[in-house]
Amino acid sequence: MSDFFESLDFGMVTSVVYKIISLFMPVALFLSGTSAAELDYSDKLGDSGYTGLYEVYEDYFPIGSAVSSGLLKDSQCSEFVLKNFSSMTFEYELKQPIICPTEGGWNFKGADAVADFAREHGLKLRGHTLLWGEESPQNWMVYDENKNLVDKETFYARLYDYFSVIIPRYDDVVDDWDIINEACHWDYSSRLHKDALYKICGEEYIYKAFEFAKEFVGENDKLILNETKVLNNKAKENNLYATIKAMIEKGTPIDGVGIQCHVDTLSFKETARRLDSIIKRFSKLGIEIQITELDMTAYSYDAQKAYDELPVWVEQLQILKYKRFFEVLRSHSDVVTSVTFWGIDDEHSYLAKKDGREDWGLLFDKHGNPKQSFYAACDF
Ligand code: GLA
């Protein structure tokens, strides 16, 4: 049953197709006795004495979540983080527009608070993210005072100085660094986005950024190239693969790939089978695989009408997808070295604020209670 759903590939599936599936889904699940039973964890709901997520996964990989200093100030949230996660990532306070909006204008407050929490409680921390061309096109690093792109030497000097401050400040507590975020292009017209960084340096900025970072990180730290929508988009997967291969061939110090995994529950492209083949493919390059931003939106695209409540058939698909994803991740625990969710629960998730509608993308509900998807992910 699940194989049937996972093997479908409609490409850009329309809402009409979803409508049909929504009618078909309960019947299909009902008819496939094993799957229906397999997806029913309702008897477990409401158990406040459940084992925390990271403990369940102790023998496999650390489990993390994206957090902000504001979230950690809330004692309920910080206790929840300590119960369920052994690792954290900076939700936004390490990003250049926040931590250093102008040249030399450092604003360490938020990132320091997150790092201090990790130090105090012995949690692992991901350094997300040092460079992100697409999202920071207007930043001081790439423009001069007349808003013209700077030359390559000026950009590299600024980048090097930036790394020389930010990396040593958090290196005692950060083990994995997302050196660059979302560099690869969506189609085959170019391997990398033609953003400001590319316009100044061509592909070379990728190699340089990793080389510069290597000078400042600790000996055992991992340098990661983090990418979005890899499961969804074959061109992106191939561009990412080719980029990493070129880096390795040039001797660039890259240790791993970050597969973000902001996944659509309803996507027939973003399947456990795809995840499995991507992990196999990339790990053959001799690098670590890190799942860096996992969540599963209940919607298929931004403009989709908001649900009043989560439809049962979507919930069932999410339970199924989380179950299969975690089966795949466990089966590759020799190369998957961390799994991080983007948010802690359905209340504290970027999906909850997106497009002004409610969403249900994580393993815990709005009150921090484990959902059926949680029990599915922990069922082994
Ligand atoms: C991207 C980024 C993250 C965060 C998420 C959700 O995937 O890598 O830093 O912004 O989107 O907004």
Side-chain angles (χ1 to χ4, degrees), residues 42 100 120 160 216 233 235 289 298-299 309 313:
S42 52
C100 195
E120 189 185 339
Y160 189 87
F216 300 106
N233 185 302
I289 313 294
Y299 298 98
E309 56 185 39
W313 68 278

Side-chain angles (χ1 to χ4, degrees), residues 91 95 128 132 181-182 226 228 260 262 293 342 350:
E91 185 183 1
K95 289 174 183 164
H128 175 81
W132 187 358
N181 200 31
E182 301 180 1
N226 196 42
T228 191
Q260 290 187 2
H262 291 290
E293 306 187 19
W342 202 256
Y350 95 106

Side-chain angles (χ1 to χ4, degrees), residues 19 297-311 314 351-352 354-360:
K19 226 0 172 253
T297 175
Y299 298 98
S300 48
Y301 48 88
D302 288 350
Q304 189 185 329
K305 201 167 158 285
Y307 303 123
D308 294 331
E309 56 185 39
L310 181 64
V314 179
L351 294 172
K354 220 171 152 237
D355 306 311
R357 60 187 183 189
E358 203 173 346
D359 206 338
W360 297 264

Side-chain angles (χ1 to χ4, degrees), residues 9-28:
D9 186 346
F10 293 131
M12 288 298 292
V13 191
T14 65
S15 55
V16 177
V17 176
Y18 284 133
K19 226 0 172 253
I20 295 165
I21 295 171
S22 72
L23 296 172
F24 169 64
M25 183 75 188
V27 181

Side-chain angles (χ1 to χ4, degrees), residues 64-67 85 91 294-295 341-345 348-350 362:
S65 63
V67 299
F85 304 105
E91 185 183 1
L294 178 58
D295 55 25
F341 288 86
W342 202 256
I344 62 171
D345 61 25
H348 304 91
S349 150
Y350 95 106
L362 293 170

Side-chain angles (χ1 to χ4, degrees), residues 43-54:
D43 61 323
K44 296 191 182 295
L45 297 176
D47 172 17
S48 56
Y50 70 96
T51 306
L53 188 55
Y54 85 86

